[in-house]
Structures are given as C-alpha cells and as structure tokens.
Amino acid sequence: AGVNRLSYQYYKRWDLTPAASHSLSAMTRGYLRKLSKEVEIALLLPRNSPLHEPVRALLEEYKRHGKKLVKVEEIDPIRDVDRAEQLKIETGLALAQNGILIRTNKRQRYLPEEELQVRDPSKEKTPVVGFRGEAAVTSALIGLLETGKKRLYLVVGKGTRSLETLEGAGQKLADLALQQNFDLQALNLAGVEQVPEDAAALLLVGLRYDLAERELAMLRDYWRGERAGLLLLLDPGSVTPRLHAFLKENGVEPRADRVLVAHSTSAGMRKEFAVEVGFSAVSPVTRPLAGSLTVLPGQTQSLALADETDERLRDQSVRVTPLMRAADRFWGETDFLDALPVVEPEAGDTPGPVDVAAAVERGAAPDERLRVDSSRMVVVGNAELLNPETMLAECLDFVSASINWMINRERLMDIPAKPKSAYRIQLTPGQSQYLF
C-alpha cells in the first residue's frame, strides 16, 4: 500500500514517440508555471474523430503542468447534447464546428479543429501533414491573458502583380491574426500624414508601384522611431528604386536577377524558377525551422547582405542576419529570359549559394533578452510566399515566426508543428482474419 501511494504521487514519464507527440515545449511549460489565473478548457470533439486522441492527450499535459489552475472538461457533442447546449448558452457561441473552448480572464476563445492541423495545399485533397495543437492553444492562452492586441497594418494602394496574390496573402494574414491574437488593418500611405502610432508592424506584400517621396519619408521616420516592425515580400518584377534604396541603407540590397537553376537534359532544356531553400540556425526567427527545407513558388530575386565589417551600419547599431539561403545548385541570373542561361559572374550573375531572405535589427543589443526596444525588419525576395495555391506549411510557419519576432513575441516562435507520420504494419493472413 505504501509503495503504491508513493508511486502515485512521485513518478516519472517518458515520451517515446519519434516526434515527441505527447510532450509540451519548454516555452509552454515555462508559461504554465507562471500562470496566476484559472483556465477552463473544454474539448468538444466526438470520440470517433481522428483528432480526439491527440488533442485529449495534449490537454492532459496542459492540466498536468498547470499547477491545478488548468481545468479540462471533455464533452462529446454527439453523446452529451445537454452539456453542449448548456455551453452554448453560457458562452453565446454557436459551436457549429468541433474544437477547443478556452475561457480565462473573463474572456473566451474558440479554436475550431482546422486551426489545430497543418495541411499541404500542394497536394490533391490537401492532406493533413502536421499537428499544431500546442501552438494554437498556447497562443490563444497568451492572447486571452494579454491586456491588449498588437495592431499590424497591411499596406494597400500600391498594386500587386496579381490581385489574387494580394487577396490570398491578406486572407492568410487574417487567419494568422486570429490564431496569434493580433489586429490586422489595411493602410493606404497616401491617405495619412504619418504611420499610425499604434502600429506594431507594417506589412508590404508584393508592391508593384514605388513609394512616393512623402511615403518614403514616413517609412524612414517610423523605422527610426523607438520601436518598429517591417515585413517586406518583394516582387522581383516590380521597379521600386526608392524602396530598394531604403533597404540598401539598412544593409539589404535586392539584386536585379532571378534565382534559378538551368541545365540541358535528353528531353531538352530545363529551367527551374521554384527555389529550394534552407533555413538559418543563427537567427531566432528561423531557429525552430533549421534543418528543414521548403520551396519558394513563382520567381525570387537574390539579396546582397552587408556583413559585420560595414562600419556605417555598425555605427547605427544595425545588424543583418541571413534567414533563407537557396540550395547550392541555384544562382542569381541577370539574363533569366535566355533559353539556357549559365553562370557568368563578369556579366553580373551571382554564383550560389545565394541569400533570399534576411532579418535586420536596428538598436540591437548583444544580449537577446535586452532587445525589447529595437526596430526589426524581415525582407524576402519573393512575393508568392503566402499564395494559398502554392504555399507550403514551412512558408506559413516562417511568416508567423517573422511577425512574432518583429512584435517582440519570441516566446511563440519555439513551438513547431509536430509532423504526422504514417506507419505501415505487415499482417499475416491469419492475423487479418483474427482482427476481422
């Protein structure tokens, strides 16, 4: 009896799953240890749902690490109809979809089951390739307990190469705003005298037309202020000399090229513009993605990055860090319309590997814990990053991490989505018959 009682109170758990599917990240565990208010979580999923078991196991971990402040209730909307209807009356929510209801700090947030999954839009029927339940629940908790939302502005009025590109990016950013608890608003720089004071970050996606001198002055004033955030997804086909000059001032120079690979095959010439890239392990933006690869759709231009020996940037406390680098076989080609281009450095081409995304920090301190008031910018030489038709899960995670870094939310960047794996089991005819 004594041994049983001791083992019930003092025990050790091991998560032996390959992707640590039943373990919370160190960031979430640390956040739960600092909880000061009660949290009520209701799981509303039928027991036959494929998500029921992983979500139930996830919420049990929140309860276990939550210092008795996290209470979890499991409700089957099909079997426990009375309790589900009572919850609708209490919350005022329709609860039309299965999901998770979180209530704390006199506020509530409902996470439908689609927000807990990562799908691959490049494949037919968009199969589920990852589970991001922890990231969704933790970001919802932080949003409910925060005093106010960060406000981000999407710059409009400058056109894009494709209206669908801007609309798709806007929808994906709106989805991120809902998941990460920030407020997304449209901003036309031509209609304001200055960047709004409540702007935590400006998002410039695929601008086709250049900034006017007055708009560029507003952008410079905002960037040189006490705190600023900028995300720029550049359209390689646009001519924006003023915007490029602003970026060059801060150590990032977009080149007039396209990143590609070309070679002759037995079937003829082959030229690829879709760029395979890897993520840097140096920057906190891409550290959770380090070691993984993704593909940038459409066309991409390379970026020339200033190094640490640039005295002008060093005097201004500006630091430039590469985020994404193309695979070694890709290069920056200036004569990209040629049928079979080759690398010619004397003609302005840039041999691989080339950088296609970078982070800029102004007012950076050597200690990351002291970088609260620095201005931060992320530049990507590709405007199709958030195109819903071609976007990969890693691209969305990269944009999410970039935004959280820009608005000083590093704690939400270390929760990567856990991949879903399929395992094959070989059964003998006798075993199959027995199971049947």
Side-chain angles (χ1 to χ4, degrees):
V3 170
N4 273 291
R5 182 166 184 81
L6 286 173
S7 64
Y8 178 77
Q9 291 181 324
Y10 306 100
Y11 57 90
K12 173 71 175 176
R13 299 173 76 254
W14 287 273
D15 186 353
L16 303 180
T17 55
S21 304
H22 296 280
S23 298
L24 298 179
S25 65
M27 177 260 147
T28 297
R29 295 197 303 270
Y31 187 77
L32 291 174
R33 282 195 296 268
K34 297 176 183 178
L35 272 182
S36 58
K37 297 185 178 181
E38 287 191 356
V39 177
E40 297 180 3
I41 304 178
L43 169 61
L44 292 104
L45 281 172
R47 293 176 189 172
N48 61 352
S49 169
L51 272 180
H52 181 271
E53 185 57 32
V55 174
R56 186 195 63 78
L58 173 71
L59 297 183
E60 284 297 321
E61 286 296 292
Y62 276 86
K63 180 180 178 180
R64 192 167 71 88
H65 290 280
K67 302 187 308 181
K68 299 182 180 180
L69 291 175
V70 178
K71 299 178 180 179
V72 177
E73 181 183 10
E74 187 175 341
I75 301 171
D76 188 329
I78 298 176
R79 293 179 172 86
D80 198 354
V81 179
D82 292 340
R83 179 61 183 128
E85 290 298 323
Q86 181 185 354
L87 203 60
K88 290 181 184 180
I89 297 172
E90 291 177 4
T91 62
L93 298 174
L95 304 181
Q97 301 181 52
N98 299 322
I100 302 173
L101 175 64
I102 304 174
R103 293 187 288 180
T104 183
N105 198 26
K106 298 181 180 180
R107 300 161 70 184
Q108 60 190 25
R109 171 80 192 282
Y110 190 69
L111 301 172
E113 57 183 338
E114 272 304 309
E115 287 193 30
L116 310 177
Q117 305 177 97
V118 178
R119 294 186 179 273
D120 187 351
S122 65
K123 296 182 180 178
E124 190 178 358
K125 297 183 180 180
T126 61
V128 176
V129 295
F131 177 65
R132 60 176 309 274
E134 182 187 348
V137 173
T138 301
S139 61
L141 267 179
I142 293 174
L144 291 172
L145 293 170
E146 281 183 345
T147 55
K149 286 185 176 182
K150 302 278 189 178
R151 178 162 291 179
L152 277 62
Y153 288 91
L154 176 62
V155 175
V156 298
K158 289 298 174 183
T160 58
R161 191 66 49 177
S162 165
L163 182 61
E164 291 76 12
T165 297
L166 181 61
E167 290 177 346
Q171 184 58 52
K172 286 300 176 184
L173 290 170
D175 293 343
L176 276 179
L178 184 63
Q179 295 171 8
Q180 304 284 357
N181 192 55
F182 59 80
D183 185 22
L184 182 67
Q185 300 286 337
L187 175 66
N188 192 331
L189 294 175
V192 296
E193 295 297 326
Q194 64 178 17
V195 175
E197 294 181 358
D198 61 351
L202 294 184
L203 313 177
L204 294 84
V205 179
L207 300 192
R208 186 176 184 182
Y209 306 116
D210 203 8
L211 298 175
E213 288 289 355
R214 186 182 69 86
E215 296 168 341
L216 182 62
M218 284 193 295
L219 189 65
R220 283 198 176 104
D221 291 341
Y222 171 69
W223 173 248
R224 292 168 182 167
E226 182 177 345
R227 186 80 176 83
L230 290 171
L231 173 65
L232 299 99
L233 305 184
L234 304 177
D235 182 355
S238 298
V239 181
T240 54
R242 294 190 186 95
L243 180 60
H244 285 192
F246 168 75
L247 295 176
K248 187 176 180 180
E249 292 171 6
N250 291 282
V252 179
E253 182 180 3
R255 298 189 181 100
D257 62 14
R258 300 292 187 276
V259 181
L260 54 78
V261 62
H263 50 267
S264 182
T265 67
S266 58
M269 184 277 301
R270 184 179 179 185
K271 185 165 58 173
E272 297 180 22
F273 285 98
V275 184
E276 183 180 307
V277 298
F279 298 95
S280 168
V282 177
S283 171
V285 179
T286 49
R287 198 171 293 148
L289 298 169
S292 58
L293 300 174
T294 192
V295 176
L296 301 184
Q299 295 189 356
T300 306
Q301 64 188 133
S302 66
L303 306 175
L305 308 182
D307 56 27
E308 296 180 354
T309 61
D310 191 317
E311 296 184 1
R312 179 181 62 84
L313 295 180
R314 192 166 52 194
D315 293 341
Q316 298 176 15
S317 298
V318 173
R319 184 164 69 177
V320 182
T321 309
L323 297 180
M324 285 195 288
R325 180 165 290 175
D328 292 347
R329 67 179 185 276
F330 290 87
W331 73 87
E333 175 62 50
T334 55
D335 191 13
F336 50 87
L337 296 178
D338 189 12
L340 185 59
V342 294
V343 184
E344 296 178 338
E346 61 278 4
D349 296 343
T350 306
V354 294
D355 295 309
V356 296
V360 181
E361 190 169 12
R362 189 189 63 80
D367 190 343
E368 291 185 5
R369 294 170 297 179
L370 303 178
R371 297 179 191 172
V372 177
D373 294 325
S374 62
S375 293
R376 297 172 175 182
M377 173 166 49
V378 173
V379 185
V380 185
N382 182 291
E384 299 285 331
L385 203 64
L386 292 176
N387 187 339
E389 296 183 359
T390 54
M391 183 192 66
L392 299 180
E394 293 84 359
C395 295
L396 186 61
D397 288 342
F398 168 77
V399 173
S400 174
S402 299
I403 291 176
N404 282 316
W405 177 72
M406 288 189 302
I407 62 179
N408 198 36
R409 272 187 177 177
E410 284 90 341
R411 55 188 177 181
L412 290 182
M413 294 160 46
D414 295 323
I415 312 178
K418 293 181 171 64
K420 288 183 72 69
S421 302
Y423 299 93
R424 184 179 180 88
I425 300 176
Q426 189 70 34
L427 299 176
T428 65
Q431 292 170 328
S432 300
Q433 181 64 30
Y434 180 77
L435 287 174
F436 177 77

